[in-house]
Amino acid sequence: MDDAIVVEGLVKTFRTPLRRRKVEAVRSVSFRVGRGEIFGFLGPNGAGKTTTIKVLVGLVRPTAGRVTVLGGAPDDMGVKRRLGFLPEQPYFYDYLKPTELLDVFGALFGMSRAERRRVIPDLLDRVGLGAAKDRAIRKFSKGMQQRVGIAQALLNDPDLVILDEPMSGLDPIGRREVIDLIASLKARGKTVFFSSHILADVERLADRVVILDRGVMKASGTLPELLGQGTDEREVVLRAAPGSPDPASLPGVSRVEALSPGLVRAICPAGRSDPVLAAALAAGFAVVSVAERRMTLEELVVSHAAGAGPGGIGAGGTAGGAS
Amino acid sequence: MTAAVVRISAIARNTFVEAARNRAFVGLGVAAVGLVVSSMVLSGLALSDQQSRVLVDFGLFSIALLEVVIAIVLGVILVFKEIDRKTFYLVLPKPVHRHEVLAGKFAGLLGVLAVALVLMAAAWFASLASRDVEFKPDMAKALALVWMEAALVTSAAIFFSSFATPVMSGVFSLGVFLVGRNVAVLEELLAGTKGPLVHNPLARTIAETTVFVFPDLTRFGVGREVILGIPVGWDYVGAAALYCAGYCLFFGALASLVFRRREFL
Ligand SMILES: Nc1ncnc2c1ncn2[C@@H]1O[C@H](COP(=O)(O)OP(=O)(O)OP(=O)(O)O)[C@@H](O)[C@H]1O
Ligand SMILES: [Mg+2]
């Protein structure tokens, strides 16, 4: 079966006419997204995620390389009919009510009036806007606007959904709902490609990820591949009692991470966990958990972005200057 | 084909709603009607024996001017807003051709211009009736021609907005209007045996190109005929409609070409 998205050697260079400077937003990126996959697109600010996504939906043309979406070109009408897209920070015709907005888009998707009347109220309920459907979008909060954006991305029951930071601006309940929604799309055989900075969500959802940094692909693969099946380290979570010593001083502990007041995670080589436990108990710590240590996605992303300065702020500055 | 019509009319309707729900645009419409009424009152006061003539002339003149102002302002702003506010990010990835989006915007603006025209015409007819000036069918034809002129200017405004800044687009569109209103003068100069265009080849070439490229908007002005009672035939109106449609297609095709290549950053 052919892939939902194929990106081959994608390069996108922006020219800023005034300063005659080139910005290499994407510098040769290749990956494939299989049908039915949930695919996470990661990287610090200014990594080139939005630029790549704009190429995928035909808003921007590649400087070099090739993209195929659902087996066709991004501007193919047949492809667009089966595609749902949520842009980063979406802007709406905000003088419209959500029902009216979805009605306009429904017409563009070739849905009949009867179909629109049937589908739209259901969809608005699904994204939690059932109670707000008769107010102008102008008066919506940020999170409510984000929900409108998600609704319009699902309007045509697309085979492929491309979401640029779908969780941004959502409250914890909204985030939870979007996670469930993405999972339910997968259950129905849809492909979901999404970018996000909320790595816990990506870890929960994504079958595979690509990590981008300053336009370059740093890693790609399934999460088990990238994070490893585990490491040869163990982590012991300890609760300190009044007067207990510095846990880093316990014999065998290689390093310590503070989790919350009174709670620490001590990391030690796999073969040393028993002596560490004994020493900790003797020193008056309570043992909360012992587990095989695994790398988190956050650690992976941060390690790949290392050298980019604190969280890629330098790249973010470029983004601000260019807009 | 019918699917395309559905898409274009969805965008047209949305464009119309956008104008109708925009306080600034509604204000512009109200001001336009107010201007027509006040200009009628003032012109009526100035001269008494030629009153009906002045009323008819001044009314048509102000309506035509205000229609063109509305055409330029809305044509430029509504396209610019889509690009600037990035609503196009939502529209263009939908299964709609870019030229259909432009066609829809254009059609929606034609609707806005028609409503503005009807309101101003109502004010005009009311002022005429209050001075016992008789209604003539040619007045309706004159109004239809005014609408065509505004449509043509709108298509130019959309074309310019597809690549230029709003201010530049406004200036260019105004240029089309002003030059278009005076192309006939140039034509006369070119045809004449005297004047600055006879011996200066460069000026002559420029003038000839201008006459060739720019629309002759005086074709849409029949104020004199209406006043003097010279009948305006349907064949004349039909020819003007074709002329208008030709230029709208010309500007529309240019705008589509630019728009198809355009990136949305
Ligand atoms: N229109 C533009 N003109 C010039 N440079 C641009 C333009 N758009 C983006 N860039 C540059 O391209 C690079 C990648 O930007 P992009 O928006 O793709 O990043 P991103 O990964 O989506 O970041 P974020 O997480 O902040 O959304 C940045 O350096 C940015 O400055
Ligand atoms: Mg982005």
Side-chain angles (χ1 to χ4, degrees):
Chain A
M1 198 168 70
D2 56 349
D3 292 312
I5 297 176
V6 180
V7 175
E8 279 170 353
L10 177 65
V11 175
K12 181 66 202 182
T13 309
F14 290 112
R15 246 168 276 242
T16 41
L18 287 183
R19 290 181 227 154
R20 278 196 268 128
R21 208 186 49 185
K22 283 206 249 170
V23 180
E24 297 181 305
V26 178
R27 301 169 195 234
S28 183
V29 165
S30 304
F31 60 86
R32 283 162 184 267
V33 179
R35 303 228 176 187
E37 265 188 330
I38 300 185
F39 199 97
F41 201 35
L42 312 178
N45 294 136
K49 303 182 296 296
T50 298
T51 304
T52 305
I53 287 175
K54 281 185 182 171
V55 173
L56 291 177
V57 299
L59 288 169
V60 163
R61 278 189 310 277
T63 305
R66 209 169 63 92
V67 304
T68 310
V69 178
L70 293 170
D75 60 357
D76 182 274
M77 289 286 268
V79 169
K80 287 173 162 194
R81 229 168 258 131
R82 296 159 54 212
L83 179 76
F85 170 52
L86 170 71
E88 177 180 52
Q89 297 169 4
Y91 289 85
F92 304 100
Y93 299 110
D94 59 5
Y95 47 87
L96 296 180
K97 299 164 185 167
T99 319
E100 296 171 326
L101 181 84
L102 294 181
D103 197 66
V104 173
F105 290 159
L108 297 186
F109 278 121
M111 295 163 69
S112 71
R113 192 169 303 222
E115 202 179 349
R116 282 178 266 160
R117 211 167 292 163
R118 182 168 53 76
V119 167
I120 291 170
D122 280 356
L123 188 55
L124 288 173
D125 282 337
R126 248 169 89 199
V127 298
L129 287 176
K133 54 175 164 256
D134 291 318
R135 279 198 280 154
I137 298 173
R138 186 169 4 98
K139 297 175 184 158
F140 278 17
S141 72
K142 182 166 151 45
M144 288 165 79
Q145 298 206 5
Q146 186 74 3
R147 288 161 190 256
V148 175
I150 291 167
Q152 63 82 35
L154 300 177
L155 182 59
N156 56 329
D157 192 23
D159 293 334
L160 168 65
V161 190
I162 296 179
L163 308 167
D164 200 351
E165 301 195 26
M167 324 287 182
S168 106
L170 293 177
D171 59 22
I173 300 167
R175 248 178 76 193
R176 174 87 242 173
E177 285 168 355
V178 170
I179 288 172
D180 291 347
L181 209 130
I182 291 179
S184 76
L185 289 172
K186 180 189 164 73
R188 289 174 49 221
K190 314 287 189 182
T191 310
V192 181
F193 180 88
F194 76 111
S195 77
S196 181
H197 291 295
I198 303 176
L199 299 175
D201 296 345
V202 179
E203 251 185 298
R204 201 129 111 202
L205 283 169
D207 300 308
R208 289 200 303 141
V209 301
V210 156
I211 301 176
L212 221 60
D213 181 32
R214 282 165 292 174
V216 177
M217 250 173 74
K218 292 291 179 152
S220 79
T222 65
L223 285 175
E225 274 166 21
L226 292 178
L227 302 178
Q229 296 301 337
T231 58
D232 48 5
E233 282 184 321
R234 297 288 177 271
E235 51 179 58
V236 180
V237 178
L238 301 172
R239 190 183 303 284
S244 48
D246 178 4
S249 68
L250 296 172
V253 170
S254 38
R255 62 189 188 280
V256 166
E257 293 162 4
L259 294 177
S260 62
L263 212 61
V264 294
R265 179 191 285 144
I267 292 153
C268 62
R272 300 295 305 272
S273 56
D274 289 353
V276 167
L277 279 172
L281 287 169
F285 287 99
V287 175
V288 178
S289 68
V290 184
E292 185 185 42
R293 172 157 176 78
R294 307 184 77 143
M295 201 184 202
T296 63
L297 190 52
E298 183 173 331
E299 286 165 330
L300 186 70
V301 171
V302 169
S303 75
H304 281 301
I313 294 297
T318 324
S323 63
Chain B
M1 187 61 210
T2 49
V5 172
V6 170
R7 295 192 289 265
I8 292 171
S9 62
I11 290 171
R13 237 178 306 130
N14 183 33
T15 304
F16 187 87
V17 171
E18 175 167 18
R21 290 192 191 168
N22 186 314
R23 275 192 213 133
F25 294 158
V26 171
L28 183 67
V30 171
V33 172
L35 268 168
V36 170
V37 172
S38 53
S39 72
M40 301 298 292
V41 171
L42 289 176
S43 60
L45 291 177
L47 298 160
S48 53
D49 55 337
Q50 293 201 321
Q51 214 182 56
S52 77
R53 202 179 247 224
V54 173
L55 280 178
V56 171
D57 199 22
F58 219 80
L60 263 180
F61 171 77
S62 19
I63 291 174
L65 201 64
L66 289 163
E67 278 279 292
V68 166
V69 169
I70 294 173
I72 294 178
V73 170
L74 263 63
V76 168
I77 289 182
L78 289 186
V79 173
F80 172 72
K81 254 179 78 180
E82 296 257 21
I83 297 168
D84 185 54
R85 300 222 36 213
K86 303 181 176 171
T87 38
F88 271 163
Y89 286 9
L90 291 173
V91 176
L92 299 181
K94 303 274 186 289
V96 58
H97 291 291
R98 291 187 176 184
H99 63 259
E100 292 171 353
V101 175
L102 289 177
K105 288 240 101 80
F106 179 63
L109 288 171
L110 289 189
V112 173
L113 287 170
V115 170
L117 185 76
V118 166
L119 293 176
M120 289 191 285
W124 183 44
F125 288 146
S127 327
L128 292 180
S130 73
R131 313 248 171 174
D132 297 321
V133 179
E134 200 191 343
F135 171 79
K136 286 187 269 181
D138 279 0
M139 290 178 180
K141 289 179 192 160
L143 288 170
L145 289 165
V146 163
W147 185 65
M148 290 175 201
E149 180 182 28
L152 196 159
V153 174
T154 303
S155 71
I158 291 178
F159 163 58
F160 293 129
S161 307
S162 67
F163 62 89
T165 64
V167 173
M168 290 320 290
S169 307
V171 170
F172 291 153
S173 311
L174 195 64
V176 168
F177 172 65
L178 293 176
V179 174
R181 280 282 181 122
N182 294 291
V183 161
V185 177
L186 270 184
E187 243 166 336
E188 271 170 39
L189 285 177
L190 282 169
T193 49
K194 280 192 288 183
L197 295 181
V198 177
H199 299 299
N200 185 339
L202 179 65
R204 198 173 172 86
T205 310
I206 292 174
E208 277 169 346
T209 314
T210 306
V211 168
F212 181 72
V213 173
F214 280 79
D216 176 10
L217 296 179
T218 53
R219 287 169 182 249
F220 303 106
V222 291
R224 218 169 51 94
E225 286 78 353
V226 172
I227 293 164
L228 300 177
I230 303 168
V232 179
W234 280 114
D235 52 345
Y236 182 84
V237 176
L242 279 179
Y243 187 77
C244 167
Y247 263 99
C248 290
L249 281 176
F250 169 67
F251 282 121
L254 286 183
S256 299
L257 277 179
V258 174
F259 219 60
R260 195 164 61 194
R261 301 287 306 157
R262 198 183 157 134
E263 295 191 296
F264 294 86
L265 305 176

